[in-house]
């Protein structure tokens, strides 16, 4: 909750104008890096519910992430430093666990950016440091993981954009996960934009999970944005809802 308080205080400051491009609320990471010398804070609350059916029993799990916060720091015009963490409360039918997830430290590198160009490309990589309790750690105990994505976007017109990610995550001693996402964004007016997005992964390069996500963003200022998103599983029982706020400090 401390992160949310900081954001609310910063919202009251008279900050320099700048058009903000965020990596939330969709699952597709943007192909843009933030301006050199600026700091961007993207934070929100997410609630998810998923169920799994086995031969003789079923499990239900509810997770609350509050807050889920990404710090982005513009090192150069084409490189940004990234720090991500979130506090998770997991509730099952029999137990409850809570604590901070693994710390993620990473970089985003702009590979292609042409003024008034049709295509933009970036590469993103995070190192997952096992700081979470074992029950909440995706990497297991004492295992360092990686999250890697190639981020591509195309300007279809003045009001429509298409973005997609392909990636490979190695979070423990399994074979790893292949990830994908595709987002279509539409600018409704100067303040409001919306998007639709299929995304998913091949866990252990075998088991497939397919999901669908949609949401809306509202631009309060050129450097301050609110968002809402909702997603669900297409081939498994899963859904989530998220609200958030992003701010750029130049």
């Amino acid at each position: 909750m401390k992160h949310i308080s900081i954001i609310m205080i910063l919202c009251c400051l008279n900050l320099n104008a700048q058009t903000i491009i965020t990596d939330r609320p969709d699952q597709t990471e943007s192909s843009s890096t933030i301006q050199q010398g600026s700091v961007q804070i993207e934070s929100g609350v997410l609630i998810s519910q998923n169920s799994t059916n086995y031969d003789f029993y079923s499990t239900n799990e509810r997770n609350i992430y509050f807050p889920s916060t990404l710090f982005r720091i513009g090192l150069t015009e084409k490189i940004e430093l990234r720090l991500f963490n979130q506090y998770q409360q997991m509730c099952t039918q029999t137990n409850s666990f809570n604590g901070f997830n693994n710390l993620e430290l990473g970089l985003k590198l702009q590979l292609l950016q042409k003024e008034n160009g049709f295509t933009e490309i970036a590469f993103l990589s995070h190192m997952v440091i096992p700081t979470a309790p074992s029950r909440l750690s995706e990497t297991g105990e004492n295992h360092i993981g990686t999250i890697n994505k190639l981020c591509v976007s195309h300007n279809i017109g003045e009001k429509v954009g298409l973005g997609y990610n392909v990636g490979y995550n190695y979070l423990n001693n399994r074979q790893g996960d292949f990830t994908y996402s595709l987002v279509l964004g539409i600018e409704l007016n100067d303040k409001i934009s919306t998007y639709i997005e299929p995304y998913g992964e091949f866990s252990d390069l075998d088991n497939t999970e397919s999901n669908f996500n949609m949401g809306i963003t509202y631009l309060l200022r050129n450097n301050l944005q609110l968002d809402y998103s909702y997603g669900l599983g297409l081939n498994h029982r899963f859904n989530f809802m998220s609200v958030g706020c992003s701010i750029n400090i130049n």
Side-chain angles (χ1 to χ4, degrees):
M1 302 305 291
K2 181 180 179 181
H3 297 315
I4 296 178
S5 300
I6 293 174
I7 291 175
M8 295 181 66
I9 294 172
L10 292 173
C11 290
C12 300
L13 300 178
N14 184 18
L15 302 174
N16 295 334
Q18 177 176 322
T19 301
I20 187 170
I21 300 176
T22 65
D23 282 348
R24 61 166 299 124
D26 57 0
Q27 305 299 312
T28 303
E29 306 282 4
S30 72
S31 59
S32 300
T33 54
I34 65 172
Q35 185 179 6
Q36 181 179 2
S38 67
V39 176
Q40 192 156 298
I41 305 171
E42 305 179 12
S43 188
V45 177
L46 185 146
I47 302 174
S48 69
Q49 184 86 26
N50 60 73
S51 302
T52 304
N53 292 321
Y54 297 97
D55 292 337
F56 301 103
Y57 67 97
S58 63
T59 62
N60 295 294
E61 182 180 290
R62 183 187 184 192
N63 290 284
I64 304 176
Y65 302 90
F66 58 100
S68 174
T69 305
L70 171 66
F71 294 90
R72 304 169 62 185
I73 302 171
L75 299 181
T76 71
E77 289 296 332
K78 294 188 176 183
I79 301 175
E80 70 175 41
L81 176 67
R82 301 163 64 87
L83 180 67
F84 175 79
N85 206 342
Q86 56 189 0
Y87 189 86
Q88 178 182 0
Q89 183 181 70
M90 176 193 293
C91 297
T92 66
Q93 294 164 303
T94 57
N95 294 299
S96 178
F97 308 90
N98 60 81
F100 281 98
N101 286 167
N102 291 330
L103 182 67
E104 296 182 22
L105 180 64
L107 291 172
K108 183 189 286 187
L109 172 64
Q110 190 101 67
L111 300 178
L112 176 65
Q113 182 186 41
K114 295 183 179 180
E115 187 174 354
N116 300 322
F118 174 75
T119 300
E120 191 175 77
I121 303 174
F123 176 74
L124 180 152
S125 183
H126 281 200
M127 179 172 62
V128 183
I129 304 170
T131 57
S134 59
R135 187 64 178 83
L136 302 177
S137 177
E138 291 183 316
T139 61
E141 294 184 5
N142 304 319
H143 288 287
I144 294 177
T146 62
I147 296 174
N148 308 281
K149 292 183 179 182
L150 185 67
C151 313
V152 185
S153 66
H154 305 290
N155 291 323
I156 300 177
E158 292 185 0
K159 302 291 186 180
V160 181
L162 180 69
Y164 49 92
N165 291 172
V166 290
Y168 173 78
N169 303 338
Y170 186 82
L171 299 178
N172 52 33
N173 56 359
R174 301 178 305 167
Q175 296 184 54
D177 305 326
F178 171 76
T179 64
Y180 67 90
S181 62
L182 174 67
V183 62
L184 179 68
I186 302 173
E187 183 181 326
L188 302 180
N189 55 43
D190 292 340
K191 299 288 186 181
I192 302 174
S193 297
T194 187
Y195 72 89
I196 56 174
E197 177 189 43
Y199 71 98
E201 67 177 37
F202 295 89
S203 301
D204 283 337
L205 304 181
D206 184 16
N207 301 319
T208 304
E209 287 190 358
S210 300
N211 308 290
F212 181 80
N213 174 30
M214 62 188 301
I216 190 169
T217 63
Y218 182 79
L219 195 66
L220 285 175
R221 294 186 185 179
N222 286 337
N223 65 331
L224 179 61
Q225 177 181 281
L226 303 178
D227 64 67
Y228 169 83
S229 61
Y230 175 80
L232 52 83
L234 298 179
N235 65 346
H236 61 121
R237 298 179 63 184
F238 165 77
N239 65 79
F240 78 86
M241 182 184 69
S242 176
V243 293
C245 175
S246 302
I247 187 168
N248 182 280
I249 307 165
N250 186 359

